[in-house]
């Protein structure tokens, strides 16, 4: 007897259904948009000629980041300086001859921020301000305005600000002292302006940098040791900011490299204070500024063996022409006279060139 005919094509139908299901899955996969890649962190290098045309530390920094796996970084800025050795991101905001005060007074930064939108700003400004004999309060006032403009553009911006390198240009005998005074004031400014949302950290570009061996003209870093020293300080600070592990508002204090002894004599409305600063480190201090805060109600009327500014609050005492060098184990004595309104005590904390001192 012949076999009964099939009532329906069961097996071919199942194969067709499976094929159509696979086709639909492939079509769905092809139609789905690819996952968006994380945007790179945008870093603005803001400064003067030490960042711009003489800033080949930027190339070293970029190459260091790439070599250590930090490839999701985008240097941003309105300027491009491509003539350093090797491949690197040439965008920056280094303007030769510019002052922090000039940029702030002319409101130039908002235009540079527009379209670049940095997440991190690395700022090294103040060299030309010091060269123009401007004092720390004016320079720090410019810093404050610039930071406000950064935060207006990006409330979460991270600022890394440099204590500027030493300088000894021809015709500016007081520039070295001006740099010391500015650098001594920067950590306090950073601490006052630091916030959890928009942190401000400090990089020490002064310590260990020599105008004799690390610059080409007493100001600009040379292409051998100079740019390498600058890059070596920027790199860990930038990596900390990228990783979210920043060190806080200021360079790590280095207690033990200086010791301060202070004694006071007072009367009903006045006092005198004698201060001895001892270098307890192993390197000579060549140019110094001593930072301290007067108790409320005190105001300086006279000082000796240093120049003092301002007269109340957070004061910086800067060396004179004859006592700027303190050899290891040696000390220098200074002093001041002040009025008071009831509290005749002396300062309780001191910093020497921005580093904390022990007090005895």
């Amino acid at each position: 007897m012949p076999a009964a005919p099939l009532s329906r094509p069961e097996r071919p139908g199942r194969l067709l259904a499976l094929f159509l299901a696979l086709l639909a899955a492939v079509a769905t996969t092809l139609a789905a948009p690819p996952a968006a890649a994380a945007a790179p962190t945008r870093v603005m290098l803001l400064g003067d000629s030490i960042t711009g045309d003489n800033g080949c530390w930027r190339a070293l920094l970029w190459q260091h980041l790439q070599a250590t796996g930090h490839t999701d970084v985008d240097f941003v800025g309105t300027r491009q300086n491509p003539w350093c050795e090797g491949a690197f991101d040439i965008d920056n905001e280094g303007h030769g001859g510019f002052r922090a005060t000039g940029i702030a007074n002319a409101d130039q930064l908002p235009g540079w921020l527009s379209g670049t939108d940095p997440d991190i700003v690395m700022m090294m400004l103040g060299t030309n301000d010091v060269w123009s004999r401007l004092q720390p309060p004016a320079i720090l006032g410019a810093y404050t305005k610039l930071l406000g403009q950064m935060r207006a553009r990006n409330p979460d911006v991270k600022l890394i600000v440099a204590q500027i390198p030493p300088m000894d240009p021809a015709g500016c005998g007081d520039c070295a002292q001006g740099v010391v005074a500015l650098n001594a004031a920067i950590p306090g400014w950073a601490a006052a302006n630091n916030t959890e949302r928009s942190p401000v950290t400090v990089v020490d570009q002064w310590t260990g940098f020599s105008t004799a061996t690390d610059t080409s003209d007493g100001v600009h870093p040379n292409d051998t040791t100079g740019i390498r020293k600058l890059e070596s300080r920027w790199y860990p600070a930038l990596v900390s900011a990228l990783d979210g592990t920043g060190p806080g508002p200021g360079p790590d204090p280095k207690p033990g490299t200086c010791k301060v002894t202070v004694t006071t004599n007072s009367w009903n409305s006045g006092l005198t204070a004698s201060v001895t600063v001892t270098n307890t480190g192993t390197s000579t201090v060549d140019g110094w500024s001593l930072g301290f805060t007067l108790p409320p109600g005190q105001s300086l009327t006279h000082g000796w063996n240093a120049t003092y500014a301002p007269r109340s609050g957070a004061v910086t005492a800067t060396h004179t022409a004859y006592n700027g060098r303190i050899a290891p184990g040696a000390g220098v004595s200074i002093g001041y006279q002040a009025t008071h309104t009831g509290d005749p005590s002396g300062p309780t904390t001191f910093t020497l060139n921005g580093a904390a001192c022990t007090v005895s």
Side-chain angles (χ1 to χ4, degrees):
M1 173 182 287
L6 292 173
S7 60
R8 64 181 184 274
E10 294 180 355
R11 185 173 182 83
R14 287 196 298 270
L15 291 174
L16 179 61
L18 179 60
F19 173 75
L20 292 174
L22 289 173
L23 185 63
V26 171
T28 301
T29 302
L30 292 175
T41 303
R42 302 167 70 84
V43 180
M44 174 182 281
L45 313 180
L46 174 62
D48 46 42
S49 59
I50 299 176
T51 297
D53 292 348
N54 296 95
C56 282
W57 59 264
R58 292 182 290 103
L60 299 179
L61 179 60
W62 174 262
Q63 293 155 11
H64 197 171
L65 291 170
Q66 302 304 299
T68 52
H70 298 280
T71 57
D72 55 346
V73 175
D74 180 16
F75 286 177
V76 298
T78 63
R79 296 179 60 81
Q80 292 79 38
N81 308 81
W83 43 82
C84 300
E85 185 175 348
F88 67 103
D89 189 335
I90 63 177
D91 297 326
N92 69 91
E93 210 62 68
H95 297 262
F98 279 40
R99 301 190 302 261
T101 51
I103 295 170
N105 292 339
D107 287 321
Q108 292 173 296
L109 183 58
W112 301 339
L113 295 171
S114 177
T116 60
D117 294 315
D119 304 298
I120 300 172
V121 177
M122 300 169 61
M123 183 175 76
M124 184 160 55
L125 280 170
T127 295
N128 292 308
D129 301 83
V130 170
W131 208 336
S132 300
R133 273 76 174 187
L134 297 176
Q135 298 302 306
I139 303 170
L140 296 181
Y143 284 7
T144 301
K145 183 174 181 178
L146 297 176
L147 177 58
Q149 292 171 337
M150 296 173 201
R151 287 173 171 169
R153 185 74 189 185
N154 176 7
D156 299 307
V157 69
K158 298 178 181 180
L159 175 63
I160 308 172
V161 59
Q163 291 173 298
I164 64 174
M167 56 187 294
D168 186 24
C172 187
D174 53 358
C175 276
Q177 179 176 326
V179 171
V180 169
L182 173 61
N183 284 344
I186 287 176
W189 175 86
N193 287 277
N194 180 66
T195 68
E196 184 176 354
R197 181 175 183 180
S198 176
V200 180
T201 60
V202 179
V203 169
D204 180 4
Q205 292 287 11
W206 189 88
T207 302
F209 193 95
S210 168
T211 57
T213 61
D214 299 324
T215 73
S216 58
D217 56 4
V219 178
H220 300 96
N222 59 34
D223 287 334
T224 53
T225 59
I227 60 172
R228 296 187 181 281
K229 285 187 177 181
L230 296 183
E231 189 278 334
S232 70
R233 299 297 179 87
W234 280 127
Y235 173 80
L238 178 55
V239 169
S240 292
L242 293 170
D243 295 343
T245 58
D252 293 335
K254 294 167 272 195
T257 60
C258 53
K259 181 180 72 174
V260 173
T261 301
V262 56
T263 58
T264 60
N265 292 294
S266 64
W267 55 97
N268 58 346
S269 61
L271 64 94
T272 59
S274 298
V275 180
T276 300
V277 184
T278 302
N279 177 7
T280 57
T282 58
S283 301
T284 297
V285 175
D286 201 356
W288 55 264
S289 284
L290 186 72
F292 57 89
T293 300
L294 292 175
Q298 292 188 15
S299 180
L300 296 178
T301 58
H302 177 63
W304 51 92
N305 293 340
T307 57
Y308 299 81
R311 293 293 175 177
S312 60
V315 176
T316 299
T318 306
H319 69 86
T320 65
Y322 55 81
N323 65 358
R325 176 168 293 186
I326 312 176
V332 62
S333 295
I334 66 173
Y336 61 84
Q337 183 172 325
T339 59
H340 68 83
T341 58
D343 183 357
S345 60
T348 57
T349 59
F350 295 84
T351 60
L352 186 68
N353 293 341
C357 298
T358 57
V359 180
S360 60

